[in-house]
Amino acid sequence: MGVKIVETALRDGHQSLFATRMTTDEVLLGLKELDKAGYHAIEIWGGATFDSCLRFLNEDPWERLRKVRKVCKNTKLQMLFRGQNILGYRHYADDVVEKSIENGIDIIRIFDALNDIRNLECAVKATKKYAKKFGRGEAQIALSYTTSPVHTVEYYVELAKQVEAIGADSICIKDMAGVLLPQTAYDLITAIKKNTKLPVELHSHCTGGLMGMTYMRAIEAGVDIIDTALSPLAGGTSQPCTESVCYALQGTEYDPKLDMEQINIAAKKMESVRDKYLKSGLLKPKSLTVNPNILKYQVPGGMLSNLMNQLDAFGKLDKLDEVLQEVPNVRKDLGYPPLVTPLSQMVGTQAVQNVLNGERYKTSPKEIKEYLHGKYGKSPAPVDEDVRKKIIGDDPVITYRPADDLAPEFENLKKQYKGIAKSDEDVLSIALFGDVALKFINQRNEDAIPTKIKVEA
């Protein structure tokens, strides 16, 4: 049986290349053909798509999911779910986590930025609960891959055993920065498959220029599933190209046997989307190039595009290399957190502030202060205490599961916004994105009022 393929262009592809700006109509453009191609799954939702729909596109992310479901009749749909962070950037109460999963999707890839198992358990339990109730919902736990003195093969094998013990249906090695070396991939996948009974998937990025070699070694080690992106949205800070991988494996025991005719039709349609964002400037040519320095700085694709956008907004894009050099220093100070959402944004913003201020930790984002208070979970290695003291002084630091401090939120929010929220989905949007969601919902509600009534009012 060949290796299975998950298509990522419609979620991580555009998140990594141009900050998740594809509209729902653009997502749907080649979806009919992709649904016929024989993929294991299509990643379509989660990650930053929810935020971008509300904040930038004036779209309902829940409606996007419904429209996608109408088209996809043959292929499983996959989403990225940030554990106790859900789709947002802070920890939410357990009732909100559970309610977010109730809507249902075929494969829920659950991860925690710190690989803190405590922050995964609630989402896994909810996924299993609704899988039993509705007959769909695979709980895949993603191990956020990075390198540091503490992130060894043995570290990840131990994590894999723990996630199997809490009920994961499969494991994903989430190499969000594209820094997994070919031989390390072989050793890591071999060790995980030897020590667990779960299917193993590999997710990575082409930023460092290694992924063709790394994917082949992973396949030789017995990886069950790999993530690739349709050619117009592949390469650079995105995933390896779906078509290229399929052609490379044709005629071998690993052949995915996808329908290349359908894939090529979809790819042709998506060329116009790529060209649109190149022309607009959101997709920067630099995002499509190889940057071997990423192997040193370990900046994920989505983080890199966001850093460029941040610096561009200040007219300081020339400071990018300086910021990239500061990122590993900040990461070391903070106990080597993996650079994955939301930690990637937090570390990146801190690095930008350090460079633009001309003084390290002169200012710090609110989220960094919360991290140093222990509110995101346990750091993989000890935090530099001098840095902690400079940022939060002698404030207390919690050592228990952060969500244990959070009272149930959903029903209170439902009562608070009963005149605005028209559904539980609206309540969840407000829970996750506050004023951003309220602005969208209020505008949508206003637009739904007939023009005559609005004039008379």
Side-chain angles (χ1 to χ4, degrees):
M1 187 175 179
V3 66
K4 297 175 182 177
I5 305 285
V6 171
E7 177 57 57
T8 64
L10 304 183
R11 203 287 297 175
D12 201 13
H14 66 111
Q15 179 168 326
S16 294
L17 290 173
F18 46 92
T20 334
R21 294 298 199 273
M22 278 177 65
T23 66
T24 297
D25 286 345
E26 290 165 349
V27 167
L28 296 173
L29 199 57
L31 191 58
K32 180 175 68 174
E33 289 78 17
L34 294 178
D35 184 45
K36 296 176 183 177
Y39 287 100
H40 172 65
I42 298 173
E43 188 183 55
I44 202 77
W45 212 55
T49 57
F50 202 101
D51 187 359
S52 289
C53 278
L54 294 171
R55 191 182 303 270
F56 302 114
L57 303 176
N58 195 35
E59 292 188 352
D60 186 341
W62 303 99
E63 185 61 24
R64 174 178 294 191
L65 183 57
R66 282 189 283 272
K67 288 181 177 179
V68 166
R69 279 206 177 281
K70 285 182 181 179
V71 175
C72 279
K73 304 296 183 184
N74 307 300
T75 313
K76 292 179 181 179
L77 299 179
Q78 180 171 299
M79 75 172 293
L80 184 66
F81 192 94
R82 300 172 189 149
Q84 210 69 33
N85 293 130
I86 310 179
L87 301 171
Y89 304 102
R90 66 169 177 89
H91 278 207
Y92 299 89
D94 289 346
D95 64 328
V96 178
V97 173
E98 180 169 330
K99 195 70 177 177
S100 298
I101 290 173
E102 184 177 1
N103 211 294
I105 201 163
D106 301 299
I107 302 172
I108 301 180
R109 177 177 290 174
I110 306 163
F111 77 95
D112 178 65
L114 296 173
N115 291 318
D116 189 333
I117 298 295
R118 301 171 304 172
N119 295 334
L120 300 168
E121 291 174 334
C122 179
V124 171
K125 287 177 184 176
T127 303
K128 307 292 272 188
K129 173 182 175 180
Y130 290 114
K132 187 174 182 181
K133 182 176 180 179
F134 299 120
R136 70 165 184 255
E138 174 186 319
Q140 180 183 86
I141 290 184
L143 311 180
S144 299
Y145 180 80
T146 189
T147 62
S148 80
V150 299
H151 291 94
T152 62
V153 168
E154 292 74 22
Y155 166 89
Y156 283 107
V157 168
E158 184 56 36
L159 268 179
K161 291 178 183 177
Q162 292 178 46
V163 301
E164 183 176 41
I166 67 170
D169 296 305
S170 61
I171 293 171
C172 174
I173 300 166
K174 182 176 172 59
D175 177 25
M176 57 280 173
V179 298
L180 180 60
L181 300 176
Q183 188 57 43
T184 307
Y186 186 90
D187 295 341
L188 178 57
I189 290 163
T190 300
I192 289 177
K193 290 189 73 69
K194 181 180 179 180
N195 286 278
T196 73
K197 297 178 181 179
L198 299 180
V200 179
E201 183 164 351
L202 176 58
H203 170 93
S204 192
H205 295 253
C206 298
T207 324
L210 288 174
M211 280 312 114
M213 294 178 281
T214 296
Y215 269 37
M216 281 307 302
R217 288 298 278 156
I219 291 167
E220 291 165 359
V223 76
D224 300 281
I225 312 161
I226 55 175
D227 287 3
T228 64
L230 207 61
S231 54
L233 298 177
T237 53
S238 180
Q239 279 74 57
C241 172
T242 300
E243 299 98 303
S244 300
V245 169
C246 288
Y247 285 127
L249 297 177
Q250 270 185 355
T252 73
E253 61 184 297
Y254 310 117
D255 192 341
K257 296 184 178 178
L258 298 188
D259 187 330
M260 298 307 295
E261 182 178 350
Q262 295 295 333
I263 288 174
N264 288 333
I265 294 171
K268 191 67 179 175
K269 291 182 177 181
M270 295 307 295
E271 286 177 4
S272 63
V273 176
R274 175 200 59 204
D275 293 346
K276 168 189 168 182
Y277 290 99
L278 269 170
K279 187 176 180 181
S280 73
L282 265 174
L283 173 53
K284 295 173 173 58
K286 204 164 188 175
S287 295
L288 295 169
T289 62
V290 170
N291 184 356
N293 282 330
I294 294 305
L295 303 174
K296 177 180 179 181
Y297 304 136
Q298 302 203 16
V299 176
M303 179 181 177
L304 184 60
S305 61
N306 283 329
L307 282 177
M308 287 190 286
N309 286 334
Q310 278 188 59
L311 290 170
D312 200 25
F314 286 106
K316 298 288 185 180
L317 196 53
D318 61 310
K319 295 284 188 181
L320 180 61
D321 286 342
E322 196 175 339
V323 169
L324 289 176
Q325 291 175 42
E326 176 64 1
V327 166
N329 297 329
V330 173
R331 186 168 167 260
K332 179 181 178 182
D333 291 341
L334 298 182
Y336 294 107
L339 293 179
V340 65
T341 305
L343 265 299
S344 54
Q345 287 88 337
M346 291 158 57
V347 170
T349 299
Q350 183 67 71
V352 168
Q353 289 186 14
N354 286 358
V355 169
L356 296 187
N357 286 336
E359 179 185 335
R360 304 188 75 227
Y361 307 111
K362 180 179 180 180
T363 60
S364 294
K366 174 176 68 75
E367 292 81 5
I368 289 288
K369 294 175 183 177
E370 291 178 346
Y371 170 82
L372 293 173
H373 282 107
K375 293 184 178 180
Y376 281 85
K378 184 180 178 182
S379 60
V383 168
D384 185 307
E385 289 303 326
D386 290 335
V387 170
R388 193 198 302 268
K389 189 173 183 64
K390 182 171 183 178
I391 296 174
I392 66 168
D394 295 320
D395 289 357
V397 179
I398 66 170
T399 57
Y400 48 83
R401 187 183 79 120
D404 288 345
D405 274 341
L406 302 176
E409 299 178 67
F410 186 80
E411 290 303 325
N412 288 338
L413 286 168
K414 192 171 183 178
K415 291 176 185 176
Q416 183 178 351
Y417 295 104
K418 64 180 180 181
I420 298 171
K422 304 301 181 184
S423 64
D424 284 357
E425 292 174 349
D426 282 352
V427 178
L428 284 169
S429 296
I430 294 168
L432 296 175
F433 292 105
D435 289 343
V436 171
L438 281 169
K439 180 181 178 181
F440 168 80
I441 293 167
N442 280 323
Q443 185 61 55
R444 182 204 63 196
N445 292 347
E446 185 179 331
D447 290 344
I449 301 172
T451 305
K452 183 178 179 182
I453 295 175
K454 282 200 276 187
V455 170
E456 290 176 352

